[in-house]
Amino acid sequence: MPGTRAFTAGNLLARLPAGMFSVSAVVMIASAYDSYALAGAVTATGLAATAFVAPWIARLVDRYGQARIAVPAALCAVLGSLALVLCVRYDAPAWTLFAAYAATATTPNIGGMSRARWAHLLADDPKALHTANSFEQSADELSFMLGPVLAAFLCGTFFPEAGTLTGVVLLVSGVLLFTAQRSTEPPPRPATTSGSPLRAPGMAPLLVICLAMGAVFGSMEVVTLAFADATGHAAWAGAVLGLQAAGSFAAGLAFGALRLTGPPERRYPWCIAAMTALLTLPLLAASLTGSLALVAVALLIAGMATAPTMITGMTLVQRRAPADRLNEAMTLAVTGLLAGIACGAATGGWVAEHLSPTAGYGLPATAAAVALLLALRPGSRAGA
């Protein structure tokens, strides 16, 4: 469609740092302060701050337009990232790390804005919108496939702050390119008539499930970094995390090519059930073999259930959200994920340091099982 390639290029460029910043921060802080617990807590603080700030930024985007809000919001987040680099570089007190990383909370939800553009352009074509949503989820996975690899390479090859600095350049460049494409931008809604998306039927249960799903991703990331370090292969941590995203990326493209029948409300619990079952594989590989290579293979397989689950979940969010507050609703879903990632990262860092990285692999499977129980509750199927 005219204009979609241009905004997709900016979208992909701005998305890549999403897979870089967290890993870069963990490597940077752990190397300087010798504590994965501190690194996990700092990244958790930033994600928790994002959980509070992101919906407000999204509401402004809905009201005033993507271009007017996303650029200044991204620049504010960049200042927080640069402050974190300076604090780590000059061995500042630990509390300054929390303050600096919390300032990155204004990072705009580029994925949500891109999905909002597709929903605007394909409002009358549900099948095409399913394909577009699947592509967007695969784009998310691509950023988390390449981002950790690039971050680990930069931090390990050059200096610990290199990953964060590169992410800053990519974020600013991508946001500027994305927002410059005005022809595909949804029109702003200065006067909304709908209430909060939180009050939409069936929305609240979806957001709680997103919280549990985020705990899967947050704990998996920190635990894998710690496991790779414990086995003497810290430099390969990014590649191992990238394999999990690679499995999800491939599954997302395949899922987008399907012509599905039946409501997504029925598919959602099955997707989460598959994800729960496959997440036991990394735990078994780590417990029985202690081999990072086998854990990597297990993560590749486990990742194949991620994209179909997330695509179905975002489809439900789009269906249940008020039309004039779509970006806010999708950002609330991402906010739930980020809050869960924050909890998972902090818990995963504590377990990895005080128990063992191997024991930490039990956290993602447990969080997925909680998400499944929530999805099976009758209230979660509201709107079916």
Side-chain angles (χ1 to χ4, degrees), residues 309-341:
T309 303
M310 297 304 299
I311 292 165
T312 306
M314 290 305 294
T315 299
L316 289 173
V317 170
Q318 288 179 333
R319 288 191 175 193
R320 298 177 182 181
D324 56 355
R325 303 185 76 165
L326 181 58
N327 192 72
E328 182 181 353
M330 288 189 291
T331 300
L332 282 171
V334 174
T335 295
L337 288 169
L338 291 177
I341 289 172

PDB file of all heavy atoms in Angstrom, residues 309-341:
ATOM      1  N   THR A 309       0.726 -16.328  20.292  1.00  0.00           N
ATOM      2  CA  THR A 309       0.061 -15.880  21.521  1.00  0.00           C
ATOM      3  C   THR A 309      -0.073 -14.370  21.544  1.00  0.00           C
ATOM      4  O   THR A 309      -1.151 -13.818  21.844  1.00  0.00           O
ATOM      5  CB  THR A 309       0.853 -16.360  22.756  1.00  0.00           C
ATOM      6  OG1 THR A 309       0.987 -17.779  22.716  1.00  0.00           O
ATOM      7  CG2 THR A 309       0.150 -15.952  24.034  1.00  0.00           C
ATOM      8  N   MET A 310       1.000 -13.665  21.228  1.00  0.00           N
ATOM      9  CA  MET A 310       0.981 -12.198  21.281  1.00  0.00           C
ATOM     10  C   MET A 310       0.113 -11.611  20.167  1.00  0.00           C
ATOM     11  O   MET A 310      -0.580 -10.606  20.380  1.00  0.00           O
ATOM     12  CB  MET A 310       2.410 -11.663  21.168  1.00  0.00           C
ATOM     13  CG  MET A 310       3.326 -12.078  22.319  1.00  0.00           C
ATOM     14  SD  MET A 310       2.679 -11.597  23.931  1.00  0.00           S
ATOM     15  CE  MET A 310       2.618  -9.824  23.742  1.00  0.00           C
ATOM     16  N   ILE A 311       0.127 -12.216  18.988  1.00  0.00           N
ATOM     17  CA  ILE A 311      -0.714 -11.734  17.886  1.00  0.00           C
ATOM     18  C   ILE A 311      -2.185 -11.853  18.265  1.00  0.00           C
ATOM     19  O   ILE A 311      -2.974 -10.918  18.062  1.00  0.00           O
ATOM     20  CB  ILE A 311      -0.424 -12.541  16.599  1.00  0.00           C
ATOM     21  CG1 ILE A 311       0.976 -12.229  16.079  1.00  0.00           C
ATOM     22  CG2 ILE A 311      -1.464 -12.223  15.512  1.00  0.00           C
ATOM     23  CD1 ILE A 311       1.476 -13.224  15.041  1.00  0.00           C
ATOM     24  N   THR A 312      -2.557 -12.990  18.814  1.00  0.00           N
ATOM     25  CA  THR A 312      -3.950 -13.190  19.211  1.00  0.00           C
ATOM     26  C   THR A 312      -4.347 -12.218  20.309  1.00  0.00           C
ATOM     27  O   THR A 312      -5.444 -11.643  20.290  1.00  0.00           O
ATOM     28  CB  THR A 312      -4.163 -14.641  19.680  1.00  0.00           C
ATOM     29  OG1 THR A 312      -3.722 -15.544  18.657  1.00  0.00           O
ATOM     30  CG2 THR A 312      -5.622 -14.908  19.974  1.00  0.00           C
ATOM     31  N   GLY A 313      -3.459 -12.006  21.262  1.00  0.00           N
ATOM     32  CA  GLY A 313      -3.748 -11.068  22.336  1.00  0.00           C
ATOM     33  C   GLY A 313      -3.936  -9.646  21.837  1.00  0.00           C
ATOM     34  O   GLY A 313      -4.880  -8.949  22.247  1.00  0.00           O
ATOM     35  N   MET A 314      -3.066  -9.191  20.926  1.00  0.00           N
ATOM     36  CA  MET A 314      -3.183  -7.825  20.399  1.00  0.00           C
ATOM     37  C   MET A 314      -4.423  -7.684  19.515  1.00  0.00           C
ATOM     38  O   MET A 314      -5.030  -6.609  19.451  1.00  0.00           O
ATOM     39  CB  MET A 314      -1.932  -7.458  19.618  1.00  0.00           C
ATOM     40  CG  MET A 314      -0.692  -7.278  20.485  1.00  0.00           C
ATOM     41  SD  MET A 314      -0.893  -6.083  21.831  1.00  0.00           S
ATOM     42  CE  MET A 314      -1.086  -4.563  20.912  1.00  0.00           C
ATOM     43  N   THR A 315      -4.798  -8.755  18.828  1.00  0.00           N
ATOM     44  CA  THR A 315      -6.039  -8.729  18.047  1.00  0.00           C
ATOM     45  C   THR A 315      -7.242  -8.502  18.963  1.00  0.00           C
ATOM     46  O   THR A 315      -8.149  -7.724  18.651  1.00  0.00           O
ATOM     47  CB  THR A 315      -6.220 -10.035  17.268  1.00  0.00           C
ATOM     48  OG1 THR A 315      -5.123 -10.194  16.352  1.00  0.00           O
ATOM     49  CG2 THR A 315      -7.519 -10.037  16.476  1.00  0.00           C
ATOM     50  N   LEU A 316      -7.247  -9.157  20.107  1.00  0.00           N
ATOM     51  CA  LEU A 316      -8.328  -8.969  21.068  1.00  0.00           C
ATOM     52  C   LEU A 316      -8.345  -7.545  21.611  1.00  0.00           C
ATOM     53  O   LEU A 316      -9.409  -6.953  21.802  1.00  0.00           O
ATOM     54  CB  LEU A 316      -8.181  -9.970  22.214  1.00  0.00           C
ATOM     55  CG  LEU A 316      -8.473 -11.439  21.869  1.00  0.00           C
ATOM     56  CD1 LEU A 316      -8.120 -12.343  23.039  1.00  0.00           C
ATOM     57  CD2 LEU A 316      -9.927 -11.620  21.481  1.00  0.00           C
ATOM     58  N   VAL A 317      -7.155  -6.988  21.852  1.00  0.00           N
ATOM     59  CA  VAL A 317      -7.079  -5.603  22.333  1.00  0.00           C
ATOM     60  C   VAL A 317      -7.673  -4.657  21.294  1.00  0.00           C
ATOM     61  O   VAL A 317      -8.455  -3.752  21.618  1.00  0.00           O
ATOM     62  CB  VAL A 317      -5.620  -5.221  22.653  1.00  0.00           C
ATOM     63  CG1 VAL A 317      -5.503  -3.719  22.926  1.00  0.00           C
ATOM     64  CG2 VAL A 317      -5.117  -6.007  23.858  1.00  0.00           C
ATOM     65  N   GLN A 318      -7.319  -4.844  20.023  1.00  0.00           N
ATOM     66  CA  GLN A 318      -7.844  -3.986  18.964  1.00  0.00           C
ATOM     67  C   GLN A 318      -9.364  -4.094  18.854  1.00  0.00           C
ATOM     68  O   GLN A 318     -10.051  -3.104  18.618  1.00  0.00           O
ATOM     69  CB  GLN A 318      -7.201  -4.343  17.624  1.00  0.00           C
ATOM     70  CG  GLN A 318      -5.748  -3.905  17.509  1.00  0.00           C
ATOM     71  CD  GLN A 318      -5.139  -4.300  16.185  1.00  0.00           C
ATOM     72  OE1 GLN A 318      -5.548  -5.270  15.558  1.00  0.00           O
ATOM     73  NE2 GLN A 318      -4.143  -3.555  15.745  1.00  0.00           N
ATOM     74  N   ARG A 319      -9.891  -5.304  19.034  1.00  0.00           N
ATOM     75  CA  ARG A 319     -11.342  -5.497  18.906  1.00  0.00           C
ATOM     76  C   ARG A 319     -12.106  -4.869  20.062  1.00  0.00           C
ATOM     77  O   ARG A 319     -13.231  -4.384  19.889  1.00  0.00           O
ATOM     78  CB  ARG A 319     -11.661  -6.991  18.836  1.00  0.00           C
ATOM     79  CG  ARG A 319     -11.245  -7.642  17.522  1.00  0.00           C
ATOM     80  CD  ARG A 319     -11.841  -9.033  17.417  1.00  0.00           C
ATOM     81  NE  ARG A 319     -11.553  -9.637  16.113  1.00  0.00           N
ATOM     82  CZ  ARG A 319     -12.153 -10.731  15.652  1.00  0.00           C
ATOM     83  NH1 ARG A 319     -13.075 -11.333  16.388  1.00  0.00           N
ATOM     84  NH2 ARG A 319     -11.841 -11.224  14.479  1.00  0.00           N
ATOM     85  N   ARG A 320     -11.520  -4.883  21.240  1.00  0.00           N
ATOM     86  CA  ARG A 320     -12.239  -4.424  22.413  1.00  0.00           C
ATOM     87  C   ARG A 320     -12.010  -2.948  22.728  1.00  0.00           C
ATOM     88  O   ARG A 320     -12.733  -2.369  23.536  1.00  0.00           O
ATOM     89  CB  ARG A 320     -11.830  -5.275  23.621  1.00  0.00           C
ATOM     90  CG  ARG A 320     -12.196  -6.749  23.448  1.00  0.00           C
ATOM     91  CD  ARG A 320     -11.715  -7.601  24.609  1.00  0.00           C
ATOM     92  NE  ARG A 320     -12.028  -9.015  24.389  1.00  0.00           N
ATOM     93  CZ  ARG A 320     -11.743  -9.991  25.250  1.00  0.00           C
ATOM     94  NH1 ARG A 320     -11.134  -9.705  26.384  1.00  0.00           N
ATOM     95  NH2 ARG A 320     -12.069 -11.248  24.966  1.00  0.00           N
ATOM     96  N   ALA A 321     -11.011  -2.335  22.104  1.00  0.00           N
ATOM     97  CA  ALA A 321     -10.673  -0.950  22.419  1.00  0.00           C
ATOM     98  C   ALA A 321     -11.629   0.024  21.744  1.00  0.00           C
ATOM     99  O   ALA A 321     -12.108  -0.228  20.627  1.00  0.00           O
ATOM    100  CB  ALA A 321      -9.246  -0.651  21.962  1.00  0.00           C
ATOM    101  N   PRO A 322     -11.932   1.163  22.378  1.00  0.00           N
ATOM    102  CA  PRO A 322     -12.683   2.225  21.701  1.00  0.00           C
ATOM    103  C   PRO A 322     -11.902   2.727  20.502  1.00  0.00           C
ATOM    104  O   PRO A 322     -10.670   2.875  20.562  1.00  0.00           O
ATOM    105  CB  PRO A 322     -12.815   3.313  22.780  1.00  0.00           C
ATOM    106  CG  PRO A 322     -12.564   2.609  24.077  1.00  0.00           C
ATOM    107  CD  PRO A 322     -11.608   1.503  23.777  1.00  0.00           C
ATOM    108  N   ALA A 323     -12.576   2.994  19.408  1.00  0.00           N
ATOM    109  CA  ALA A 323     -11.906   3.381  18.164  1.00  0.00           C
ATOM    110  C   ALA A 323     -11.082   4.649  18.311  1.00  0.00           C
ATOM    111  O   ALA A 323     -10.025   4.791  17.686  1.00  0.00           O
ATOM    112  CB  ALA A 323     -12.936   3.542  17.051  1.00  0.00           C
ATOM    113  N   ASP A 324     -11.564   5.598  19.127  1.00  0.00           N
ATOM    114  CA  ASP A 324     -10.852   6.866  19.252  1.00  0.00           C
ATOM    115  C   ASP A 324      -9.752   6.847  20.309  1.00  0.00           C
ATOM    116  O   ASP A 324      -9.117   7.863  20.562  1.00  0.00           O
ATOM    117  CB  ASP A 324     -11.835   8.011  19.540  1.00  0.00           C
ATOM    118  CG  ASP A 324     -12.676   7.758  20.772  1.00  0.00           C
ATOM    119  OD1 ASP A 324     -12.560   6.654  21.347  1.00  0.00           O
ATOM    120  OD2 ASP A 324     -13.451   8.654  21.159  1.00  0.00           O
ATOM    121  N   ARG A 325      -9.528   5.672  20.924  1.00  0.00           N
ATOM    122  CA  ARG A 325      -8.454   5.556  21.918  1.00  0.00           C
ATOM    123  C   ARG A 325      -7.667   4.269  21.676  1.00  0.00           C
ATOM    124  O   ARG A 325      -7.209   3.612  22.610  1.00  0.00           O
ATOM    125  CB  ARG A 325      -9.033   5.605  23.327  1.00  0.00           C
ATOM    126  CG  ARG A 325      -9.842   6.865  23.585  1.00  0.00           C
ATOM    127  CD  ARG A 325     -10.327   7.017  25.000  1.00  0.00           C
ATOM    128  NE  ARG A 325      -9.273   7.426  25.893  1.00  0.00           N
ATOM    129  CZ  ARG A 325      -9.486   7.903  27.137  1.00  0.00           C
ATOM    130  NH1 ARG A 325     -10.718   8.057  27.577  1.00  0.00           N
ATOM    131  NH2 ARG A 325      -8.483   8.231  27.915  1.00  0.00           N
ATOM    132  N   LEU A 326      -7.492   3.945  20.394  1.00  0.00           N
ATOM    133  CA  LEU A 326      -6.857   2.682  20.029  1.00  0.00           C
ATOM    134  C   LEU A 326      -5.396   2.648  20.442  1.00  0.00           C
ATOM    135  O   LEU A 326      -4.915   1.659  21.006  1.00  0.00           O
ATOM    136  CB  LEU A 326      -6.988   2.463  18.512  1.00  0.00           C
ATOM    137  CG  LEU A 326      -6.392   1.169  17.956  1.00  0.00           C
ATOM    138  CD1 LEU A 326      -7.016  -0.040  18.617  1.00  0.00           C
ATOM    139  CD2 LEU A 326      -6.574   1.108  16.448  1.00  0.00           C
ATOM    140  N   ASN A 327      -4.661   3.734  20.177  1.00  0.00           N
ATOM    141  CA  ASN A 327      -3.243   3.752  20.524  1.00  0.00           C
ATOM    142  C   ASN A 327      -3.054   3.630  22.033  1.00  0.00           C
ATOM    143  O   ASN A 327      -2.148   2.940  22.511  1.00  0.00           O
ATOM    144  CB  ASN A 327      -2.591   5.032  20.007  1.00  0.00           C
ATOM    145  CG  ASN A 327      -1.082   4.986  20.088  1.00  0.00           C
ATOM    146  OD1 ASN A 327      -0.421   4.279  19.334  1.00  0.00           O
ATOM    147  ND2 ASN A 327      -0.526   5.724  21.032  1.00  0.00           N
ATOM    148  N   GLU A 328      -3.923   4.297  22.781  1.00  0.00           N
ATOM    149  CA  GLU A 328      -3.843   4.206  24.243  1.00  0.00           C
ATOM    150  C   GLU A 328      -4.099   2.778  24.708  1.00  0.00           C
ATOM    151  O   GLU A 328      -3.416   2.274  25.609  1.00  0.00           O
ATOM    152  CB  GLU A 328      -4.837   5.171  24.878  1.00  0.00           C
ATOM    153  CG  GLU A 328      -4.784   5.164  26.402  1.00  0.00           C
ATOM    154  CD  GLU A 328      -5.798   6.110  27.023  1.00  0.00           C
ATOM    155  OE1 GLU A 328      -6.446   6.872  26.280  1.00  0.00           O
ATOM    156  OE2 GLU A 328      -5.950   6.077  28.265  1.00  0.00           O
ATOM    157  N   ALA A 329      -5.082   2.121  24.103  1.00  0.00           N
ATOM    158  CA  ALA A 329      -5.407   0.754  24.505  1.00  0.00           C
ATOM    159  C   ALA A 329      -4.244  -0.201  24.228  1.00  0.00           C
ATOM    160  O   ALA A 329      -3.886  -1.039  25.073  1.00  0.00           O
ATOM    161  CB  ALA A 329      -6.657   0.275  23.773  1.00  0.00           C
ATOM    162  N   MET A 330      -3.642  -0.076  23.045  1.00  0.00           N
ATOM    163  CA  MET A 330      -2.524  -0.960  22.721  1.00  0.00           C
ATOM    164  C   MET A 330      -1.319  -0.666  23.601  1.00  0.00           C
ATOM    165  O   MET A 330      -0.569  -1.571  23.972  1.00  0.00           O
ATOM    166  CB  MET A 330      -2.180  -0.829  21.237  1.00  0.00           C
ATOM    167  CG  MET A 330      -3.227  -1.457  20.335  1.00  0.00           C
ATOM    168  SD  MET A 330      -2.726  -1.552  18.611  1.00  0.00           S
ATOM    169  CE  MET A 330      -2.733   0.187  18.181  1.00  0.00           C
ATOM    170  N   THR A 331      -1.144   0.614  23.956  1.00  0.00           N
ATOM    171  CA  THR A 331      -0.043   0.954  24.848  1.00  0.00           C
ATOM    172  C   THR A 331      -0.296   0.434  26.254  1.00  0.00           C
ATOM    173  O   THR A 331       0.642   0.051  26.962  1.00  0.00           O
ATOM    174  CB  THR A 331       0.167   2.478  24.871  1.00  0.00           C
ATOM    175  OG1 THR A 331       0.474   2.911  23.538  1.00  0.00           O
ATOM    176  CG2 THR A 331       1.315   2.858  25.797  1.00  0.00           C
ATOM    177  N   LEU A 332      -1.554   0.395  26.674  1.00  0.00           N
ATOM    178  CA  LEU A 332      -1.872  -0.202  27.969  1.00  0.00           C
ATOM    179  C   LEU A 332      -1.488  -1.680  27.981  1.00  0.00           C
ATOM    180  O   LEU A 332      -0.994  -2.197  28.993  1.00  0.00           O
ATOM    181  CB  LEU A 332      -3.356  -0.032  28.273  1.00  0.00           C
ATOM    182  CG  LEU A 332      -3.804   1.345  28.766  1.00  0.00           C
ATOM    183  CD1 LEU A 332      -5.325   1.419  28.817  1.00  0.00           C
ATOM    184  CD2 LEU A 332      -3.214   1.651  30.136  1.00  0.00           C
ATOM    185  N   ALA A 333      -1.717  -2.361  26.854  1.00  0.00           N
ATOM    186  CA  ALA A 333      -1.312  -3.767  26.762  1.00  0.00           C
ATOM    187  C   ALA A 333       0.206  -3.895  26.871  1.00  0.00           C
ATOM    188  O   ALA A 333       0.726  -4.759  27.593  1.00  0.00           O
ATOM    189  CB  ALA A 333      -1.808  -4.374  25.452  1.00  0.00           C
ATOM    190  N   VAL A 334       0.911  -3.022  26.160  1.00  0.00           N
ATOM    191  CA  VAL A 334       2.374  -3.031  26.239  1.00  0.00           C
ATOM    192  C   VAL A 334       2.824  -2.656  27.644  1.00  0.00           C
ATOM    193  O   VAL A 334       3.808  -3.191  28.168  1.00  0.00           O
ATOM    194  CB  VAL A 334       2.966  -2.072  25.191  1.00  0.00           C
ATOM    195  CG1 VAL A 334       4.476  -1.948  25.361  1.00  0.00           C
ATOM    196  CG2 VAL A 334       2.629  -2.553  23.788  1.00  0.00           C
ATOM    197  N   THR A 335       2.100  -1.730  28.277  1.00  0.00           N
ATOM    198  CA  THR A 335       2.416  -1.338  29.637  1.00  0.00           C
ATOM    199  C   THR A 335       2.290  -2.526  30.588  1.00  0.00           C
ATOM    200  O   THR A 335       3.130  -2.725  31.473  1.00  0.00           O
ATOM    201  CB  THR A 335       1.470  -0.209  30.098  1.00  0.00           C
ATOM    202  OG1 THR A 335       1.718   0.939  29.306  1.00  0.00           O
ATOM    203  CG2 THR A 335       1.690   0.129  31.557  1.00  0.00           C
ATOM    204  N   GLY A 336       1.235  -3.328  30.391  1.00  0.00           N
ATOM    205  CA  GLY A 336       1.103  -4.540  31.189  1.00  0.00           C
ATOM    206  C   GLY A 336       2.290  -5.471  30.990  1.00  0.00           C
ATOM    207  O   GLY A 336       2.826  -6.036  31.956  1.00  0.00           O
ATOM    208  N   LEU A 337       2.704  -5.614  29.735  1.00  0.00           N
ATOM    209  CA  LEU A 337       3.882  -6.438  29.455  1.00  0.00           C
ATOM    210  C   LEU A 337       5.122  -5.887  30.141  1.00  0.00           C
ATOM    211  O   LEU A 337       5.904  -6.628  30.754  1.00  0.00           O
ATOM    212  CB  LEU A 337       4.116  -6.517  27.941  1.00  0.00           C
ATOM    213  CG  LEU A 337       3.132  -7.349  27.130  1.00  0.00           C
ATOM    214  CD1 LEU A 337       3.344  -7.111  25.642  1.00  0.00           C
ATOM    215  CD2 LEU A 337       3.303  -8.834  27.438  1.00  0.00           C
ATOM    216  N   LEU A 338       5.313  -4.568  30.054  1.00  0.00           N
ATOM    217  CA  LEU A 338       6.503  -3.956  30.645  1.00  0.00           C
ATOM    218  C   LEU A 338       6.510  -4.091  32.162  1.00  0.00           C
ATOM    219  O   LEU A 338       7.559  -4.333  32.765  1.00  0.00           O
ATOM    220  CB  LEU A 338       6.578  -2.487  30.246  1.00  0.00           C
ATOM    221  CG  LEU A 338       6.866  -2.207  28.773  1.00  0.00           C
ATOM    222  CD1 LEU A 338       6.834  -0.709  28.505  1.00  0.00           C
ATOM    223  CD2 LEU A 338       8.211  -2.784  28.355  1.00  0.00           C
ATOM    224  N   ALA A 339       5.334  -3.913  32.779  1.00  0.00           N
ATOM    225  CA  ALA A 339       5.266  -4.079  34.223  1.00  0.00           C
ATOM    226  C   ALA A 339       5.615  -5.519  34.602  1.00  0.00           C
ATOM    227  O   ALA A 339       6.331  -5.770  35.584  1.00  0.00           O
ATOM    228  CB  ALA A 339       3.872  -3.715  34.725  1.00  0.00           C
ATOM    229  N   GLY A 340       5.122  -6.471  33.808  1.00  0.00           N
ATOM    230  CA  GLY A 340       5.460  -7.864  34.061  1.00  0.00           C
ATOM    231  C   GLY A 340       6.936  -8.142  33.826  1.00  0.00           C
ATOM    232  O   GLY A 340       7.569  -8.884  34.589  1.00  0.00           O
ATOM    233  N   ILE A 341       7.490  -7.545  32.776  1.00  0.00           N
ATOM    234  CA  ILE A 341       8.918  -7.708  32.510  1.00  0.00           C
ATOM    235  C   ILE A 341       9.738  -7.167  33.672  1.00  0.00           C
ATOM    236  O   ILE A 341      10.745  -7.756  34.082  1.00  0.00           O
ATOM    237  CB  ILE A 341       9.302  -6.995  31.190  1.00  0.00           C
ATOM    238  CG1 ILE A 341       8.721  -7.762  29.997  1.00  0.00           C
ATOM    239  CG2 ILE A 341      10.821  -6.901  31.049  1.00  0.00           C
ATOM    240  CD1 ILE A 341       8.881  -7.036  28.676  1.00  0.00           C
TER     241      ILE A 341
END
